[in-house]
Amino acid sequence: MFLSVFFCLTLIANVKAERSQPKNIFLLGGQSNMSGRGGNYNDTNNIVRWNGKIPPECASNKNIHRLNANKTWVPAHEPLHQDIDVLKTCGIGPGMPFANEILAKVPTFGSIGLVPCAIGGTRIAMWGRGTVLYNRLVDRANASLNCGGKIRALLWFQGESDTSKEDSKLYKSRLENFINNLRQDLNISELPVIMVGICSADQGPYMNLIRSIQLNYNDTNVRTVDAMGSTFLADHKHLDTKSQIRVGQKLAAAFLSSFDGLHPK
């Protein structure tokens, strides 16, 4: 009797796990504009708050999940990075509008799993192989596959912290090493990467060098969408909600047009 009950409970648990395991997994990496600051403001005490406003493009969807800090799949909702980028106030980012746009364009695409990994203020050197951020990205990526699914792409929004004279000179080689190492360590030799060309107005004279590297990256499985034309919060560094939605939808369009998004495997 006990064994029969145990078997039934185990079967139910496995069925629930299978239902919650997304088929299509996307890794989200980079710094603050990936983790999201849309809707943030400074209150009367100059403390950064999120206004809690969620536009329809960022709404929860039963077919969108996120891997939380405990590496468990849960229903996705804004702010996606609230338990990952814990030292900052997170708001709207590009992840939810990206996922919602894919499902709007291709209703048969299947469930989507978002794996938030971005941390505000991080330079590309902090994502090198063997660093805390890199190891956590690989660990979370592997954990996302525990019950099946397939990693479809890495979404990458980073570079604002590398606009110094010295860091900008090394950005190309560091970015290439990061992408190549990640593909090797995840055993996905042709992992698609869709990155965002940075555009923040307050990044100094070397921002255009970073942009040039991103917009002209020479790799068959890398695409770059341009954030130029974005509008910002009062700090002139972080995209507002409207522009985060725009970037997320651009990322979705790039994936669907470039990486067999219309025919998920």
Side-chain angles (χ1 to χ4, degrees):
M1 177 66 178
F2 174 78
L3 290 176
S4 178
V5 172
F6 177 77
F7 175 78
C8 290
L9 291 174
T10 302
L11 181 62
I12 291 172
N14 288 339
V15 169
K16 288 183 176 179
E18 183 177 348
R19 287 177 179 172
S20 64
Q21 170 66 44
K23 294 181 180 179
N24 305 284
I25 298 168
F26 296 90
L27 311 177
L28 279 57
Q31 54 184 112
S32 56
N33 276 319
M34 176 57 82
S35 64
R37 302 292 185 263
N40 284 6
Y41 68 96
N42 288 60
D43 67 12
T44 55
N45 295 315
N46 206 33
I47 297 174
V48 179
R49 307 284 188 186
W50 176 51
N51 64 19
K53 296 179 180 179
I54 302 176
E57 298 89 343
C58 305
S60 297
N61 184 308
K62 66 179 182 179
N63 290 316
I64 305 175
H65 293 77
R66 66 182 291 272
L67 195 73
N68 67 16
N70 294 322
K71 293 181 283 190
T72 300
W73 288 114
V74 297
H77 62 80
E78 296 286 13
L80 274 181
H81 278 77
Q82 64 180 349
D83 61 348
I84 301 297
D85 195 6
V86 295
L87 298 181
K88 302 291 184 180
T89 301
C90 295
I92 301 294
M96 287 300 290
F98 165 82
N100 276 311
E101 181 73 0
I102 287 180
L103 294 179
K105 295 296 185 183
V106 189
T108 59
F109 185 75
S111 56
I112 291 176
L114 302 174
V115 183
C117 297
I119 299 292
T122 52
R123 297 159 48 242
I124 188 70
M126 299 170 68
W127 292 87
R129 179 184 258 165
T131 63
V132 171
L133 294 181
Y134 181 88
N135 289 344
R136 185 171 69 165
L137 172 60
V138 172
D139 179 60
R140 287 176 57 74
N142 287 328
S144 74
L145 299 171
N146 280 344
C147 297
K150 177 181 179 180
I151 295 176
R152 304 303 304 276
L154 164 70
L155 308 183
W156 182 255
F157 196 165
Q158 189 276 336
E160 293 92 343
S161 290
D162 286 272
T163 53
S164 68
K165 182 177 180 179
E166 295 304 317
D167 283 330
S168 62
K169 290 179 180 179
L170 296 170
Y171 191 79
K172 185 174 186 292
S173 61
R174 287 171 171 170
L175 180 61
E176 289 173 345
N177 287 337
F178 166 70
I179 292 174
N180 292 336
N181 289 338
L182 186 64
R183 285 171 170 167
Q184 183 178 25
D185 291 340
L186 293 181
N187 197 27
I188 308 175
S189 61
E190 297 183 348
L191 173 70
V193 177
I194 312 174
M195 70 176 82
V196 182
I198 64 171
C199 68
S200 300
D202 274 5
Q203 297 306 317
Y206 296 98
M207 184 190 75
N208 285 332
L209 177 55
I210 301 296
R211 278 179 51 78
S212 178
I213 293 167
Q214 295 170 333
L215 295 171
N216 298 289
Y217 197 89
N218 186 22
D219 185 303
T220 303
N221 291 303
V222 173
R223 296 289 182 276
T224 304
V225 303
D226 197 350
M228 188 62 74
S230 295
T231 48
F232 297 87
L233 303 181
D235 61 12
H236 304 294
K237 295 180 180 180
H238 296 110
L239 274 63
D240 61 16
T241 295
K242 177 181 177 181
S243 288
Q244 286 286 16
I245 292 171
R246 173 175 170 265
V247 166
Q249 291 175 341
K250 279 191 167 190
L251 289 167
F255 173 75
L256 291 174
S257 64
S258 301
F259 298 116
D260 197 26
L262 295 174
H263 303 93
K265 298 176 182 178

